[in-house]
Amino acid sequence: MDLKVVEHYDEMSEVAANLVAGTIKDKKDAVLGLATGSTPEGMYARMVEMYRRKLIDFSTVTTFNLDEYIGLEPDHPQSYHYYMNRNLFDHVNIDPENISIPYSGSDKGLEETCRKFDERIEQAGGIDLQVLGIGVNGHIGFNEPARHLKAGTHLVELAEETIEANSRFFQSKDEVPRKAITMGMGSIMKAGKVLLMASGINKAEAVRDSLSGLVSTKTPASLLQLHRDIVIVIDREAASLL
Ligand code: PGA
C-alpha cells in the first residue's frame, strides 16, 4: 500500500491527476475506472488542463464509471452522466463509444444492464486504473456498509448516511434517488491499480476504519487493503485519525 499524505485538496488533486496521466502515457489504450463526487473534481480539472496543453490524449482511452443513480435521466444536472460530461468528457477528445456509465435512463432490464456492464469491462481487457473517492460511511462507489457485499455490478439501495451526504447537491433530501447501480467490490478489486482519494476532516473516520488493518464489509473501503497495487492520496485532515 502506497500512502501519500499531502497538505490539502489541491495537492491531492495534482498528485492524482499526474497518476492518471502517467497511466495514459504508459498505455495509450488505457482503461480507466472513474468516480464522481466532490473529491475528484479538482483532479478532472487538471486532466482537462493537461489535455489542453497537449500533455495527454484521450482518443484511445476507455472509461467505466463506478456508479449512477437510478431514475435520473442522463441530462439531469445531478446525474453522474451530466457530472462526467461537465467535468471531463465535454472538454477532451474521448470517443463517446468508449464511455460506459451504468444506467442510462431506462428502468427496463436493470439486472441485464449490470451483467453487461461487467462483461464490457472484461471485453475491454479489464480496468488498468480505478479512481475512487470514499463516503463518510466508508462506502466505495455505492457499495454501502452491509453484512454481505455483492461482487459484481448490481442494484443497490442507498444508505441513509449517503442520502444525507448527497442531499447537498439536490434542492432537498427528498429529491435524492434511493436506488443506484454500482460496480461491486469484486469488479473494483479486479482493477490492475487503485487510486483512493480523500480530503477533509469529515472523511477522517472512514479513512481510519478503512486502513486500520481490519477488513470488514461494514467498511467496504477496508477491502482495498487486500489489493496488491493501491495508492492512497489523502490530505492532512483526512489522515488526522491515522
Ligand atoms: P464526495 O463523495 O467525493 O462527494 O465526498 C465520495 C463518495 O461518496 O464516494
Side-chain angles (χ1 to χ4, degrees):
M1 184 185 301
D2 179 5
L3 174 64
K4 296 182 201 299
V5 179
V6 297
E7 281 306 315
H8 42 60
Y9 180 85
D10 283 347
E11 198 180 343
M12 176 196 76
S13 305
E14 184 81 32
V15 171
N18 286 337
L19 207 136
V20 179
T23 304
I24 299 174
K25 279 181 200 157
D26 286 352
K27 192 173 175 217
K28 268 177 75 74
D29 58 349
V31 179
L32 303 177
L34 298 178
T36 50
S38 320
T39 309
E41 276 181 4
M43 178 193 81
Y44 290 133
R46 280 163 180 77
M47 285 164 59
V48 169
E49 186 53 32
M50 284 183 207
Y51 168 72
R52 287 201 177 121
R53 290 165 54 205
K54 300 197 185 333
L55 299 174
I56 42 176
D57 171 21
F58 288 86
S59 59
T60 49
V61 168
T62 298
T63 63
F64 290 91
N65 264 79
L66 270 177
D67 47 15
E68 177 60 292
Y69 292 117
I70 291 175
L72 298 190
E73 295 290 324
D75 59 358
H76 187 289
Q78 295 312 331
S79 77
Y80 293 159
H81 281 78
Y82 189 92
Y83 172 105
M84 288 309 304
N85 289 338
R86 194 191 55 209
N87 285 288
L88 184 67
F89 298 149
D90 282 351
H91 311 289
V92 299
N93 64 338
I94 191 158
D95 179 347
E97 292 282 311
N98 293 344
I99 295 171
S100 295
I101 302 181
Y103 187 76
S104 49
S106 164
D107 289 4
K108 287 210 188 100
L110 289 176
E111 302 278 353
E112 180 72 355
T113 303
C114 293
R115 201 179 52 72
K116 287 207 174 128
F117 196 76
D118 283 330
E119 259 175 34
R120 265 209 304 285
I121 296 176
E122 297 275 326
Q123 281 159 8
I127 290 172
D128 295 302
L129 175 67
Q130 175 66 57
V131 176
L132 298 172
I134 182 171
V136 286
N137 62 355
H139 79 191
I140 289 293
F142 279 132
N143 292 278
E144 302 286 18
R147 282 187 62 201
H148 303 282
L149 294 174
K150 290 200 180 142
T153 298
H154 61 282
L155 306 174
V156 279
E157 301 265 346
L158 303 193
E160 198 49 42
E161 297 100 311
T162 302
I163 293 168
E164 186 65 53
N166 290 4
S167 64
R168 70 189 195 280
F169 299 116
F170 292 82
Q171 301 273 345
S172 76
K173 197 170 139 184
D174 291 343
E175 284 181 24
V176 184
R178 266 42 186 176
K179 291 187 179 167
I181 293 184
T182 184
M183 275 166 61
M185 288 308 297
S187 325
I188 294 166
M189 293 291 283
K190 280 189 202 159
K193 192 179 189 84
V194 172
L195 164 63
L196 175 68
M197 286 187 277
S199 167
I201 196 73
N202 66 332
K203 297 293 172 70
E205 278 185 33
V207 165
R208 179 198 59 202
D209 294 348
S210 303
L211 305 183
S212 68
L214 298 175
V215 174
S216 164
T217 58
K218 300 222 169 89
T219 305
S222 68
L223 271 76
L224 298 172
Q225 291 173 91
L226 307 176
H227 197 281
R228 71 173 68 160
D229 190 0
I230 172 158
V231 182
I232 299 162
V233 187
I234 53 180
D235 67 11
R236 277 200 185 283
E237 287 191 3
S240 59
L241 296 178
L242 290 180

XYZ file of all heavy atoms in Angstrom, residues 36-40 133-136 139-142 162 166 168-169 202-203, ligand 1:
150
model
N -17.197 9.847 -9.298
C -17.806 11.181 -9.307
C -17.760 11.734 -7.877
O -17.073 11.191 -7.036
C -19.250 11.099 -9.839
O -19.920 10.049 -9.128
C -19.285 10.795 -11.314
N -18.490 12.808 -7.619
C -18.483 13.423 -6.287
C -17.541 14.618 -6.245
O -16.886 14.942 -7.233
N -17.468 15.254 -5.078
C -16.630 16.464 -4.946
C -15.154 16.114 -4.995
O -14.340 16.913 -5.461
C -16.846 17.148 -3.594
O -18.168 17.135 -3.230
N -14.808 14.936 -4.510
C -13.391 14.596 -4.349
C -12.601 14.678 -5.663
O -11.565 15.339 -5.686
C -13.246 13.198 -3.699
O -14.052 13.179 -2.522
C -11.804 12.890 -3.355
N -13.040 14.036 -6.754
C -12.188 14.054 -7.955
C -12.361 15.280 -8.854
O -11.713 15.354 -9.902
C -12.605 12.776 -8.699
C -13.968 12.455 -8.224
C -14.191 13.122 -6.910
N -13.268 7.720 -4.695
C -13.416 8.562 -3.508
C -13.924 7.636 -2.410
O -14.030 6.422 -2.605
N -14.237 8.182 -1.268
C -14.763 7.352 -0.185
C -15.911 8.100 0.485
O -15.848 9.329 0.641
C -13.638 7.004 0.830
C -14.151 6.097 1.948
C -12.988 8.251 1.415
C -13.043 5.539 2.843
N -16.961 7.371 0.829
C -18.090 8.005 1.513
C -17.791 8.201 2.993
O -16.883 7.552 3.539
N -18.554 9.072 3.651
C -18.354 9.279 5.097
C -18.592 7.985 5.871
O -18.072 7.800 6.973
C -19.269 10.398 5.664
C -18.777 11.769 5.244
C -20.717 10.193 5.267
N -18.193 3.892 2.307
C -18.605 3.226 1.060
C -17.640 3.564 -0.082
O -16.928 4.559 -0.043
C -20.065 3.535 0.697
C -20.313 4.860 0.064
N -21.579 5.371 -0.111
C -19.474 5.798 -0.451
C -21.493 6.541 -0.709
N -20.237 6.819 -0.918
N -17.665 2.682 -1.059
C -16.856 2.843 -2.270
C -17.824 2.645 -3.427
O -18.537 1.638 -3.452
C -15.759 1.751 -2.325
C -14.680 2.019 -1.274
C -15.139 1.648 -3.700
C -13.850 3.251 -1.500
N -17.838 3.597 -4.400
C -18.951 3.574 -5.348
C -20.203 3.690 -4.490
O -20.251 4.495 -3.551
N -21.206 2.862 -4.766
C -22.355 2.803 -3.855
C -22.396 1.447 -3.156
O -23.459 0.923 -2.859
C -23.663 3.077 -4.593
C -23.943 4.540 -4.832
C -24.321 4.993 -6.087
C -23.859 5.461 -3.796
C -24.603 6.336 -6.319
C -24.131 6.807 -4.014
C -24.505 7.252 -5.281
N -25.637 8.151 3.132
C -25.300 8.574 1.771
C -26.353 9.547 1.243
O -26.025 10.565 0.621
C -25.199 7.331 0.857
O -24.209 6.463 1.404
C -24.840 7.693 -0.559
N -25.384 13.241 0.222
C -25.563 13.686 -1.161
C -26.699 14.694 -1.321
O -26.849 15.298 -2.379
C -25.790 12.485 -2.081
C -24.523 11.659 -2.224
O -23.519 11.953 -1.575
N -24.553 10.643 -3.058
N -26.768 17.519 -0.306
C -26.226 18.859 -0.547
C -26.228 19.227 -2.031
O -26.156 20.390 -2.386
C -24.816 18.987 0.045
C -23.723 18.202 -0.659
C -22.434 18.262 0.165
N -21.237 17.848 -0.531
C -20.866 16.579 -0.729
N -21.634 15.585 -0.301
N -19.742 16.310 -1.362
N -26.303 18.233 -2.887
C -26.312 18.514 -4.323
C -27.730 18.725 -4.867
O -27.912 19.109 -6.018
C -25.678 17.349 -5.094
C -24.238 17.105 -4.725
C -23.846 15.919 -4.130
C -23.262 18.065 -4.985
C -22.515 15.679 -3.790
C -21.930 17.836 -4.655
C -21.557 16.648 -4.053
N -14.185 15.451 7.533
C -15.369 14.564 7.589
C -15.092 13.163 7.014
O -15.903 12.262 7.168
C -16.594 15.211 6.908
C -16.385 15.383 5.427
O -15.254 15.532 4.968
N -17.457 15.359 4.663
N -13.909 12.991 6.404
C -13.550 11.666 5.889
C -12.576 10.940 6.823
O -12.213 9.782 6.576
C -12.914 11.790 4.488
C -13.839 12.371 3.431
C -14.987 11.439 3.118
C -16.043 12.044 2.215
N -15.610 12.247 0.852
P -17.592 13.026 -2.253
O -18.240 11.584 -2.261
O -16.390 12.952 -3.116
O -18.646 13.939 -2.804
O -17.245 13.336 -0.823
C -17.414 10.469 -2.169
C -18.265 9.225 -2.110
O -19.404 9.278 -1.616
O -17.783 8.175 -2.550
